[in-house]
Amino acid sequence: MNWKERFRLHIFLYTIIGSIIGAGFMGVIEAIVKTVITDYWRLTLPAIALGHRAFLGIFAGIALGALIIALLFFFSGSLKRRTVFAISAAGMATYFGLYWLNSRIQEWLSISFETGEGGIQLSIIFIIVFWALFFLFNFFYGITDRIFRKPLTVFIGGYAIAFVIALVIAFLSPEDTRSFKPYDPAMASKVADKPNVIFILVDALRGDWTSPYGYDIETPNMQALADDGILFMNTIANSNWTKPAIASIFTSLLPRSHGVTGQFTHIQPDMTLLPAQMSDAGYYSVGISTNPVIQRLTGFDHGFNEFKLLKGIQPAPGDPDAPKLAFHAGLDYILTTIFPWLKKGALAYCDADRATNWAIDWMEENGDRKFFMYLHYMDPHADYYHHPYNGQSGNPAQDPSGDMYELYRSLYKGEIIFTDRHLGRLIEYLKKNDLYDSSLIIFTSDHGQEMFEHYGWAHGTSLFEEQIIIPLIIKLPGQENAGEKRHELVNQIDYAPTLLNLVDIPRPAGWDGRDMFDPDYHNECVILQGDRRDFRIAGCRTFDYKWFQTADDYQRLRMQSIGFKPVDPRAVFPEHNFFDLRRDSLEKHNLYETEQYQAEIDSIKQMHADILKGMKEETQLEQGALDPETIKRLKELGYLQ
């Protein structure tokens, strides 16, 4: 082997080991911080970090070695081994560190790395961190070389020892346990004669796409539930996306009143919540979520005696704690690129089949309790999967121009049918175990789903009908008033007061909603507030009219796309909007500037202002934190860009 070949071999050896050390160094720091800061005491993350980063370091080291050799050949230069090691270690540590802290840095500095100015700031931060770490690794290499003479052996040996110790700790680590609201069994006697309460919410389900509301679709179980219950024909979501909508259901407050309107604003422990009211009355409250927005980290477990976030299936096999680390999504990408067959079993969220199984298993073990169950299905939310599942999926966000319009509408319809099938399994279980007739069942959604009616997809981007029209079925114990249809305007802040009244629990102070079964119940209009990621939109919807307005920059949210396909420019709408729903139910003609409607516009604006005067004032919550696993899932589901 000549000197050039030895030189190239040394370059690769030093870049690979340097990359492993740098990646592992930052991985362990991240793992320890995550374990301590997020109060996660299963102690598995350091071992996962060291294992994953060693794997990633090998690939990165090979690529970096090839790059350095090419640059040295082009410029006819040379580098010391120590320098090559320090460059590799610092490069990987800087990359993984900034990947981990990316969102936090943008929040701390009030910048966005997606803009040109933000990109320059990111480059400056990278350079500063890189050089600091370069000098650190260069220093330690020099110290190790002087003491042991074989620095690479020491580094690899130390890494291996650390990995073995971390594995032992992970193996001996106890299962992670969560502390939920304590349940007092002595309280059970207070609800012994009351019905079990099952609150079923199907994410992103449009009311007008189900058979009870006249749509041509096979949802026999939703239809059967409607036949046994009361069907509310005009139910409007108070928000157009999940977090504020569910928060409004739980708090009986409008989105701007509870303040949970951003990705990093969370339910607060001092809020008066529906699950806590049920638990305090004697019910055992259990929450089952399949949406990563609705989980412990966002505060939605408050008030429950038990809460479970059911996760999707990862493409890459491994410890279930692995997604808590920042670059797990990158590892998934690398592995599925090398081994495409891993994608076949992956699911971005827990589907209705597994969620129903979990709910049934829970009732099998806890059937003697008097319970309040919140069950959150996710399937009509993108990604859309083929059924029977064959590993293929689609997300209309990848098709902003609407070229595959029919495909995505068909997939959405298929997900509704799939959910209905497993809703049927749940109802069948309740009937077989004599739980159905005696139970109070609420069936609804958090928001609708735009299917390109206004040249956009998904939700959280407008207040058009398709994003706010939702189903509501209430099946009373003994199927009382079965088959009744009610036509008054109903909104989500009224769910909790209605539910408490139906099980004879006093309504707490501070709620703005009302009991829908009160003889005097009536809504002139429903308040709409769809604030999202600091983009503000609000309005008011009556039987006949709808008015809403946006902040100046709202169209930036509306026009965001994934990839490089441009969003259809027709998706843009003005800041001020007014529609006559009697003559224009599809909302194709904005009448805000039409003189003959100015009296109606002034009237609905005044109505909106008068209603808000009687509601809790706006709340500004501090930004909370999310872990990388949640951020990754939110990006996959379209909540984050």
Side-chain angles (χ1 to χ4, degrees):
M1 181 181 296
N2 60 40
W3 70 271
K4 289 185 178 180
E5 292 171 332
R6 288 197 300 273
F7 174 74
R8 294 192 185 101
L9 180 61
H10 287 153
I11 288 287
F12 278 114
L13 182 62
Y14 278 73
T15 55
I16 290 172
I17 295 176
S19 296
I20 292 173
I21 297 300
F25 168 79
M26 190 56 66
V28 169
I29 292 176
E30 179 190 350
I32 293 173
V33 170
K34 294 285 175 58
T35 300
V36 175
I37 297 299
T38 62
D39 193 26
Y40 187 79
W41 292 106
R42 200 170 157 232
L43 306 179
T44 57
L45 295 184
I48 297 168
L50 288 169
H52 282 185
R53 298 302 164 83
F55 175 79
L56 294 167
I58 292 172
F59 285 93
I62 293 172
L64 189 56
L67 176 62
I68 290 175
I69 289 172
L71 290 174
L72 292 177
F73 176 80
F74 183 77
F75 291 105
S76 301
S78 63
L79 284 176
K80 293 180 179 179
R81 297 172 183 177
R82 174 175 173 173
T83 304
V84 172
F85 172 85
I87 289 173
S88 304
M92 288 300 99
T94 303
Y95 175 79
F96 284 114
L98 293 182
Y99 191 95
W100 162 32
L101 297 171
N102 172 45
S103 297
R104 276 301 186 194
I105 292 172
Q106 293 184 74
E107 180 185 336
W108 291 333
L109 301 180
S110 299
I111 59 176
S112 172
F113 292 152
E114 296 179 2
T115 64
E117 182 181 353
I120 294 173
Q121 292 171 316
L122 174 61
S123 300
I124 294 172
I125 293 170
F126 186 95
I127 292 170
I128 293 172
V129 175
F130 171 82
W131 280 111
L133 289 171
F134 172 83
F135 288 118
L136 177 68
F137 285 114
N138 194 55
F139 172 76
F140 276 112
Y141 184 99
I143 294 292
T144 307
D145 190 26
R146 283 196 296 272
I147 297 174
F148 299 104
R149 297 296 180 187
K150 293 184 177 180
L152 291 192
T153 303
V154 173
F155 285 135
I156 290 301
Y159 196 100
I161 292 171
F163 186 43
V164 171
I165 293 173
L167 283 174
V168 172
I169 294 173
F171 181 76
L172 297 176
S173 177
E175 287 295 320
D176 180 50
T177 57
R178 295 296 180 201
S179 177
F180 298 108
K181 183 178 175 63
Y183 178 71
D184 182 4
M187 295 287 291
S189 60
K190 294 187 175 182
V191 293
D193 297 329
K194 298 181 187 292
N196 288 316
V197 180
I198 304 172
F199 193 112
I200 303 168
L201 186 141
V202 182
D203 206 300
L205 176 63
R206 286 174 56 161
D208 59 347
W209 276 55
T210 64
S211 56
Y213 291 88
Y215 189 64
D216 183 17
I217 187 174
E218 294 182 7
T219 53
N221 298 297
M222 295 180 196
Q223 184 63 60
L225 189 63
D227 292 341
D228 285 344
I230 301 169
L231 182 67
F232 291 79
M233 302 301 294
N234 294 289
T235 306
I236 312 296
N238 290 113
S239 187
N240 56 10
W241 69 286
T242 299
K243 187 183 280 189
I246 305 297
S248 287
I249 291 172
F250 282 7
T251 65
S252 187
L253 296 173
L254 291 171
R256 291 181 182 175
S257 296
H258 58 63
V260 187
T261 57
Q263 294 302 344
F264 298 98
T265 52
H266 308 328
I267 290 283
Q268 301 300 301
D270 61 349
M271 291 179 173
T272 304
L273 303 170
L274 172 62
Q277 295 300 306
M278 299 296 287
S279 179
D280 289 343
Y283 280 94
Y284 188 90
S285 296
V286 57
I288 306 167
S289 173
T290 56
N291 188 326
V293 166
I294 309 302
Q295 60 153 304
R296 182 185 67 86
L297 288 176
T298 53
F300 282 90
D301 66 328
H302 291 315
F304 284 101
N305 304 117
E306 186 176 346
F307 191 91
K308 181 70 173 180
L309 172 63
L310 302 176
K311 301 179 181 180
I313 301 173
Q314 300 296 312
D319 190 281
D321 295 335
K324 294 183 180 297
L325 296 174
F327 200 72
H328 186 263
L331 180 63
D332 275 353
Y333 176 78
I334 292 171
L335 289 177
T336 53
T337 300
I338 299 172
F339 309 108
W341 51 269
L342 288 173
K343 293 180 180 179
K344 187 169 184 180
L347 287 168
Y349 51 79
C350 175
D351 64 10
D353 184 8
R354 292 169 55 220
T356 302
N357 290 343
W358 204 95
I360 289 174
D361 289 345
W362 187 91
M363 287 187 286
E364 280 286 309
E365 297 178 5
N366 298 273
D368 57 337
R369 296 182 187 269
K370 192 67 68 172
F371 62 85
F372 164 68
M373 176 182 286
Y374 172 77
L375 176 57
H376 189 130
Y377 287 119
M378 187 67 173
D379 301 77
H381 190 296
D383 291 352
Y384 303 142
Y385 293 92
H386 294 263
H387 298 289
Y389 181 50
N390 59 4
Q392 297 182 355
S393 65
N395 188 331
Q398 303 284 353
D399 180 37
S401 60
D403 294 338
M404 294 182 284
Y405 169 84
E406 293 296 340
L407 170 65
Y408 289 118
R409 289 175 67 90
S410 175
L411 288 174
Y412 178 67
K413 186 175 181 179
E415 290 285 28
I416 297 172
I417 293 171
F418 178 78
T419 304
D420 180 82
R421 184 181 311 142
H422 293 287
L423 172 67
R425 285 204 302 120
L426 180 71
I427 292 175
E428 181 182 6
Y429 173 84
L430 295 173
K431 289 181 176 179
K432 285 184 177 180
N433 290 271
D434 297 324
L435 294 171
Y436 180 77
D437 289 344
S438 61
S439 292
L440 168 62
I441 300 176
I442 298 93
F443 178 89
T444 189
S445 181
D446 49 352
H447 53 74
Q449 188 83 346
E450 184 174 352
M451 302 302 292
F452 217 69
E453 291 87 351
H454 289 89
Y455 310 104
W457 297 104
H459 51 268
T461 59
S462 82
L463 291 175
F464 291 123
E465 292 288 272
E466 55 269 15
Q467 294 201 23
I468 60 170
I469 295 295
I470 56 175
L472 175 61
I473 301 168
I474 298 180
K475 189 206 79 70
L476 300 175
Q479 287 71 270
E480 183 181 350
N481 297 336
E484 180 182 344
K485 293 183 179 180
R486 300 188 60 161
H487 295 272
E488 60 263 58
L489 278 177
V490 171
N491 62 163
Q492 292 165 324
I493 64 172
D494 298 331
Y495 288 7
T498 301
L499 194 158
L500 291 189
N501 178 66
L502 289 172
V503 293
D504 197 25
I505 296 175
R507 167 204 171 112
W511 281 5
D512 283 338
R514 296 171 294 156
D515 175 15
M516 291 183 283
F517 291 99
D518 188 308
D520 296 326
Y521 179 82
H522 176 70
N523 282 314
E524 284 291 338
C525 82
V526 170
I527 301 296
L528 311 172
Q529 295 175 344
D531 298 354
R532 180 174 181 176
R533 300 203 301 270
D534 298 323
F535 297 98
R536 290 169 66 88
I537 183 172
C540 188
R541 202 264 198 196
T542 70
F543 272 112
D544 297 333
Y545 303 110
K546 182 194 291 179
W547 159 78
F548 63 89
Q549 66 181 29
T550 74
D552 294 346
D553 61 349
Y554 191 82
Q555 296 311 318
R556 285 177 49 212
L557 174 67
R558 180 76 175 167
M559 296 300 288
Q560 284 178 349
S561 65
I562 297 176
F564 297 99
K565 286 187 177 181
V567 174
D568 192 311
R570 293 175 295 177
V572 173
F573 54 85
E575 292 180 30
H576 301 280
N577 301 268
F578 180 81
F579 299 96
D580 185 343
L581 300 177
R582 301 167 303 174
R583 298 177 173 84
D584 180 24
S585 61
L586 300 180
E587 298 170 296
K588 299 296 185 181
H589 305 288
N590 185 359
L591 303 173
Y592 188 81
E593 301 294 340
T594 305
E595 184 175 350
Q596 71 182 77
Y597 280 95
Q598 290 310 302
E600 287 82 2
I601 294 171
D602 292 341
S603 174
I604 198 171
K605 283 184 176 182
Q606 187 61 51
M607 191 184 306
H608 176 262
D610 291 342
I611 292 174
L612 290 181
K613 288 178 182 177
M615 300 288 187
K616 183 177 182 292
E617 295 181 352
E618 288 193 22
T619 299
Q620 298 293 327
L621 298 179
E622 292 185 3
Q623 299 285 310
L626 295 174
D627 65 8
E629 175 189 11
T630 301
I631 290 174
K632 171 179 178 282
R633 294 292 167 232
L634 295 180
K635 287 182 177 179
E636 290 176 342
L637 298 170
Y639 291 110
L640 287 174
Q641 297 296 326

